[in-house]
Amino acid sequence: MIKNIRKFIIILVFNLCITNMLYSNENNVLTIGNKEAKVTVKVFSSLTCPHCADFHDKVFEKLKIQYINTNKIKFEHHGFPLDLAALNAEKVLRSVEGIEKSFEFLTLIYKKQNQWAVGSDIEKINNYVKKIGIDFGLKPNRIDNFIANEKIQDEILNERIAAQKKYNISSTPTIYINNKKYEGKNDFKSFKKALDKKL
């Protein structure tokens, strides 16, 4: 993304810090799988990040079949927007009702990433995301309301600040298996090997 969008995120985060709005609401984390599982996978990702999309495509889909649907693990998507486009897309993701539908939309957003997460015109980007949402079955007014909602924006950015502070995130995706950072390759075979050690 262009520099002024990154600057926008930095300014927003800075403003939230100096106004003492830092908090972390775990209820906002998009979670799927067995809540009582002994293993939790946390993925901190930006929806405009190609590496995040690659992880979701190569790892999450197989993970869902072999580990999530079989109640072996709990999987958490943590929004960590790196630019304004990712922030707005994260807002739209939060407008989706239902866990399964939310993850379906997350998958769709990643699959179409090279169509919408391009260029520097944020209005065009928002319209692309909105079209994807409408085609998915979301109501246009609901999408608009979530994109414009400052409370939701504050929640996402505060969660980002809290994650940065707690997990020292320097890039996306940053992945944790329980409380240990995953340092391996972002392919299913490597991730499966690390995961099986915890099960």
Side-chain angles (χ1 to χ4, degrees), residues 1-10 12-13 45-50 80-91 113 116-119 122 125-126 153 156-157 160 172:
M1 272 305 142
I2 59 173
K3 291 182 179 179
N4 63 336
I5 293 179
R6 288 191 181 278
K7 188 183 292 183
F8 174 84
I9 292 290
I10 292 169
L12 281 176
V13 171
S45 56
S46 176
L47 298 182
T48 53
C49 166
F80 196 88
L82 297 178
D83 50 55
L84 182 56
L87 175 61
N88 288 341
E90 190 72 35
K91 291 181 192 177
Q113 186 188 77
W116 66 268
V118 293
I122 193 61
I125 291 171
N126 286 348
Q153 176 173 288
I156 294 169
L157 292 176
R160 184 189 188 281
T172 57

Side-chain angles (χ1 to χ4, degrees), residues 41-56:
V41 174
K42 299 175 185 279
V43 180
F44 299 87
S45 56
S46 176
L47 298 182
T48 53
C49 166
H51 301 294
C52 298
D54 190 59
F55 176 85
H56 193 87

